[in-house]
Every structure is written in C-alpha cells, then in structure tokens.
C-alpha cells in the first residue's frame, strides 16, 4: 500500500527515520460515537468525522510490539512494548476528503519508547503501564491508573452495527494511512503515515470494557460496537513533521 504524497503546504518537514516494528498482537475496541460529539473534538475545520453506517468511529487500539527499531538499526536490537492509541476515523479535506485518523492520546509501557517518540515527534507519548494477558479463554487488556480495562473472548462470527463484515472493518483500517495527532504546539498537529502488512483480523466478543479513556464517549452516548484482533503484522511509521498553523 503506497504512502500518501504530502502536499508541501500541509506540513513542515522531518528528518527523523521511520520506525519499524513487529506487531505480535493488536486488539481494537470500536465504539459507535455520535458524529456531533466527534465534530466538537476536532481542532481544525479541514478534519470532519468519517461516517460509517450513520455513526462516527472511535477506537481504543492496543498493540504488543517487538523488534521496535528506527532507521538502519537492525531488528535484532529492537525493544518490546505495549502501546495504545485513542483514535477517531476522520476525513481529510486538505487531501480531497480522503479517510484519515485523528489521534488524541498515545501511551507506551516502554520508558525508552516514550522518551524517543515524545522528543522526536513533538507530541506527548505518555509512559504508562499496560498489559495484554490471558485468563482461560479471555484476552485481558489493562492500561494503568484505570485508564482502560477490557476483556474479550474469541467469537464464532463478526457482529457490528458499523461494519457489516469483517472485510469492511479491515478495509476501513487499511484506508487510514495518514494520522493527525495533537502536539505540544498550539494550533499545529503531528503528521504520521502508517504502512501496515496485516495478516487479517479475527472477531472477538467483548465481556467488559471501561475506564477513564472511554468514559467521555459513553457520557456522550457512544456504545461499544465490536472488537477485533490481528497478530504477526509488520508496521512502519513515518513522521512528516507538523502542520502549519
């Protein structure tokens, strides 16, 4: 999948090397969010909610990573981490209305990863305990300080009011190459491209999910829609700098 061309007027440049990782496991909790609530969260007029079957999509994405390296550093020396992102599906009207992702929070349980990405990418990458574990057949996701706790089990079939099929969900994720995120500079967003080599997604059924990360969504009328999992995927993040004010 090609990385999108970045218009010269969109962002300042960056000379940081791309970051590569093996995604040993990625679990995504999807919520159907009222579009007007997401619209109020978006900091610029050229980002608008991407509507899917009448709703906006908000997700908690949890990734167990290994072989995390940057630039020419071989994967042999890569670090391990559990990272999370609070993400929203949006349309980028600076690029003709293409699907994109808006990210308001990233965390990692790696102190080194937090230091590197927080300094290099001009945005906060909070160091926070996080785990993906197993309890009998359940998959448990825990993000420190009661930020998020989720439990899910393998499901025999896909069930979602947003995405009729698992293929529709996979296509939705594949479209979100470019992400915009909050930064330390008022009025400017980080610009990041994610190139994914996924092995496919499998459905999970949520047994519980909650925490301060998702409570504002629930207060606004969001409902937990679906949970999906993928394993053994190769990801590459390329940072393009900051948008112009």
């Amino acid at each position: 999948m090609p990385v999108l061309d970045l218009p010269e007027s969109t962002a300042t440049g960056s000379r940081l090397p791309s970051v590569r990782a093996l995604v040993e496991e990625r679990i995504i909790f999807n919520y159907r969010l009222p579009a007007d609530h997401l619209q109020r969260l978006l900091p610029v007029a050229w980002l608008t909610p991407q509507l899917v079957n009448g709703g906006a999509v908000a997700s908690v994405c949890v990734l167990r990573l290994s072989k995390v390296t940057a630039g020419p550093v071989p994967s042999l020396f890569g670090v391990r981490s559990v990272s999370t992102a609070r993400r929203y599906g949006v349309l980028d009207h600076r690029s003709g209305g293409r699907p994109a992702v808006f990210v308001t929070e990233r965390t990692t349980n790696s102190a080194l990863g937090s230091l590197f990405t927080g300094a290099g990418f001009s945005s906060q990458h909070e160091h926070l305990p996080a785990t993906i574990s197993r309890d009998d057949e359940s998959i448990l996701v825990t993000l420190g300080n009661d930020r998020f706790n989720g439990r899910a089990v393998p499901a025999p079939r896909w069930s979602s009011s947003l995405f009729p099929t698992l293929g529709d969900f996979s296509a939705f994720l594949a479209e979100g190459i470019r992400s915009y995120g909050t930064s330390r500079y008022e009025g400017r967003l980080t610009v990041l491209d994610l190139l994914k080599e996924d092995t496919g997604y499998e459905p999970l059924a949520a047994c519980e999910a909650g925490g301060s990360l998702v409570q504002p969504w629930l207060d606004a009328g969001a409902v937990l829609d679906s949970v999906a999992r993928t394993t053994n995927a190769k990801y590459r993040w390329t940072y393009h700098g900051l948008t112009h004010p």
Side-chain angles (χ1 to χ4, degrees), residues 2 10 39 47 55 68 82 87 90 101 109 117 130 148 167 194 213:
T10 300
Q39 184 66 66
L47 291 179
V68 182
V82 176
R87 69 192 301 277
V90 297
V101 178
N109 68 349
T117 55
F148 183 77
L194 170 58
L213 195 70

Side-chain angles (χ1 to χ4, degrees), residues 100-111:
V101 178
F102 178 57
V103 178
T104 58
E105 182 173 332
R106 300 183 192 271
T107 74
T108 176
N109 68 349
S110 167

Side-chain angles (χ1 to χ4, degrees), residues 114-160:
S114 175
L115 180 65
F116 173 77
T117 55
F121 295 154
S122 302
S123 63
Q124 183 179 9
H125 197 178
E126 184 179 359
H127 180 212
L128 195 69
T131 61
I132 299 176
S133 60
R134 298 293 189 278
D135 179 9
D136 296 327
E137 292 186 356
S138 297
I139 300 173
L140 307 174
V141 174
T142 302
L143 188 57
N145 300 329
D146 292 325
R147 193 75 61 85
F148 183 77
N149 294 284
R151 183 166 68 91
V153 295
R157 64 185 63 86
W158 176 251
S159 177
S160 167

Side-chain angles (χ1 to χ4, degrees), residues 152-193:
V153 295
R157 64 185 63 86
W158 176 251
S159 177
S160 167
S161 68
L162 289 167
F163 308 101
T165 70
L166 196 55
D168 293 322
F169 170 68
S170 297
F172 170 80
L173 286 185
E175 290 177 335
I177 299 173
R178 173 139 302 150
S179 68
Y180 296 95
T182 55
S183 79
R184 293 190 293 269
Y185 301 94
E186 185 175 356
R188 306 183 72 179
L189 303 177
T190 60
V191 185
L192 193 71
D193 282 342

Side-chain angles (χ1 to χ4, degrees), residues 18 40 62 67 74 86 112 135 140 170 197 239:
S18 294
R40 289 191 293 271
V62 187
K67 301 181 180 180
R86 179 163 54 176
L112 178 61
D135 179 9
L140 307 174
S170 297
E197 295 181 22
Y239 179 57

Side-chain angles (χ1 to χ4, degrees), residues 20-22 24 65-70 74-80:
R20 307 179 308 279
L22 173 66
E24 295 182 345
L65 306 174
S66 65
K67 301 181 180 180
V68 182
T69 58
S75 60
L76 177 65
F77 301 102
V79 300
R80 301 179 62 87

